[in-house]
């Protein structure tokens, strides 16, 4: 135990704790659904409330139980991978070469979780494009840092006046 504590205090030994990306990335399972839904609801409220200005949706329709049921019903877990190091911290859903969604729990943002997920998708599923909300500048910058670039292709987010923009690599 004292050796482990010494290693933690010695900055030169931090590389001894490195890991392979896939160690913490795994396929989602039905028993993960409550955590997935909780993470999605909170992340969407935090990121999109100021863009869409629709509290009726954010706090009425967007509910953990509803999201959980929808994800199970539509088979979304089949194409979803989780960053799980004992705590599910992020998720990515991939269909063919498209990243459908990537979310990191607010409390774990800035810790490399999203980067590991997007790199996993690129390396293992040849993820080459995605759609993101044009006004979500943080997402655009994140994807640009991982080799994606904005295209001229846009479409409206269903039922809104906000644009989704396609990004490719």
């Amino acid at each position: 135990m004292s050796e482990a504590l010494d290693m933690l205090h010695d900055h030169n030994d931090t590389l001894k704790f490195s890991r392979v990306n896939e160690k913490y990335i795994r396929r989602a399972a039905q028993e993960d659904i409550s955590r997935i839904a909780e993470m999605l609801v909170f992340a969407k409220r935090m990121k999109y409330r100021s863009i869409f200005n629709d509290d009726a949706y954010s706090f009425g329709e967007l509910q953990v139980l509803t999201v959980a049921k929808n994800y199970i019903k539509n088979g979304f877990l089949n194409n979803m991978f989780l960053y799980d190091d004992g705590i599910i911290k992020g998720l990515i859903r991939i269909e063919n070469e498209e990243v459908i969604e990537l979310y990191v729990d607010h409390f774990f943002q800035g810790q490399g979780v999203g980067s590991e997920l997007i790199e996993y998708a690129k390396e293992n599923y040849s993820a080459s494009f995605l759609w993101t909300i044009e006004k979500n500048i943080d997402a655009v910058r994140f994807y640009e840092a991982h080799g994606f670039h904005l295209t001229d292709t846009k479409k409206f987010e269903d039922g809104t006046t906000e644009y989704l923009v396609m990004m490719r690599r």
Side-chain angles (χ1 to χ4, degrees), residues 92 97-99 102 114-115 117-119 121-123 126-132 139-151 166-169:
I92 191 166
E97 294 180 1
E98 181 180 1
V99 174
L102 186 157
S115 293
L117 287 166
I118 195 72
E119 292 302 320
K122 287 167 45 180
E123 293 169 17
S126 301
S128 62
F129 74 100
L130 55 90
W131 294 88
T132 191
V140 170
R141 286 186 188 138
F142 171 82
Y143 292 124
E144 286 175 336
H146 289 279
F148 290 83
H149 64 274
L150 288 168
T151 68
M166 179 185 275
M167 297 187 75
R168 287 200 165 275
R169 66 178 193 102

Side-chain angles (χ1 to χ4, degrees), residues 73-102:
K73 175 183 159 191
N74 291 307
F76 292 162
L77 298 182
N78 297 335
N79 301 318
M80 184 177 289
F81 298 87
L82 307 176
Y83 182 100
D84 180 358
D85 64 358
I87 298 170
I88 297 172
K89 295 181 177 178
L91 64 86
I92 191 166
R93 186 160 58 101
I94 310 158
E95 290 183 13
N96 300 317
E97 294 180 1
E98 181 180 1
V99 174
I100 302 295
E101 58 189 341
L102 186 157

